[in-house]
Amino acid sequence: MAFAITQNCCSDASCVSVCPVNCIHPTPDEPEFGHTETLYVDPATCIDCGACADACPVDAIAPTWVLRPDQQVFAQVNADWFTRPDAPAAPVWDAPRFPTVDLSKVGRLEVAVVGTGPAAVYAAQSILRATEARVTFLERLGTPGGLARWGVAPDHPGTRRVLEHTTAVLRHPRVTLRTGVEVGRDVTPAELAARYDAVLYATGAAGDRALDVPGQELAGSVSAREVVNWYTGHPEAAPVDLTRVQRVVVVGTGNVALDVARMLAGDAGRLAGTDTSPAALEALHTSALREVVVVGRRGAEDAACSRSELRALTHLAGVRTVLAGEAPDGAAPGSLGELFAGLDRFDDDLSAAPGPGRRIVFAFDRATTELVGSERVEGITLTGSEGSTTVPTELVVRAIGHRGTELPGLPFDEELGRVPHQAGRVTGGPTGTYVVGWAKRGPSGGIGANRADAEETVDSLLADAAAGLIGRR
């Protein structure tokens, strides 16, 4: 028997560091780390000690013999990852890692961290462990958590458990939390640089990518970020009107697109007891919505979602998950293409009103060319190899990615949508200014990707402190 990692995996590698037999891969020192959908447990090496499950911040690891029926597939997914020709030979231990600077030369720092999401918390944790620094978090909203609170679907309670890690760091005796403080409105980067030895910006990516098609400004055309904010109860969320909505079209095939589809199409009763906002719960309970169409510009094998998220849709009670058009040919075993090919076919006409029952329809190889309507969205025109089709819909959700926004007083790369930097040191900013997370690398990577990202930035900060470039004796 062995343990297995399931779809909730945040890939932050907390489990890797406690495993006594090195059976969890890829590790942070392996090339595939940060690029796989989850981490994987090698059943041939696992000794069933449970250390990884205890360390997991999101309850993603469980013994294979207690997995729910809808999770049983992950036992095989974990095992299959180690049967590849290029699979790591376990147990093979990485070379020991030592601090890159002389920490005895780092004085007692005063550090400000702007933001309280996962990237901010990982960075602060690294600083607190390595030094005697005092850390002050500055949070624009009244409640900390960032995307871990406002960006994770409420029906993924395991993933939302990462907030417990945030709470533990915020309660550290050398940490101060200041909420309701907005940089650019209440304080400038220059003022922060004068007050603190170092300032780390973990402000995320608060903007949205545009479709750049006619009609995208119509009422009923919203971003996935707006919908997610609405159902997670973000204090600045605008209401999403589902009163007369029978069909929603989601443009994009990433995990956020699937989250939106699942939250809207599923039975609202299953969300009782979750952190779904009361406004969203009421709207979903009374909604007449019957169909969510998920549109991909490229083929099914190129979908941006993970296999885990797709499998979650196929187990949604009372909802059929179907594929419009031809199934992908020659898909590799276990690939996304194979999973999509295994879905039932949708043979109805997308240009007609949705039929009875609830369904999620995947439509690939279709480009969005126009949103049609007079004052609000009445349809969306999709163009593929067989011509154009206008799909009647009352709500279009753009799930094509976030985009960074400029913070007054800091440099910003408009083309890349992020703060320019060198190994986390802000280029062109005040001395002692650093950046982590999506503000640093652009909106890519999940929660776990922020750990290695934060460690790189903190290494730069500590090197500057040891060299006397920042801080005080």
Side-chain angles (χ1 to χ4, degrees), residues 292-312:
V292 178
V293 180
V294 182
V295 177
R297 182 171 56 87
R298 294 183 292 180
E301 63 277 7
D302 297 314
C305 63
S306 68
R307 291 170 295 175
S308 299
E309 289 294 332
L310 178 57
R311 288 190 180 98

Side-chain angles (χ1 to χ4, degrees), residues 12-38:
D12 83 340
S14 296
C15 53
V16 173
S17 61
V18 300
C19 178
V21 293
N22 195 31
C23 71
I24 303 175
H25 295 270
T27 71
D29 293 312
E30 292 172 340
E32 291 183 275
F33 183 78
H35 300 287
T36 57
E37 293 179 2
T38 68

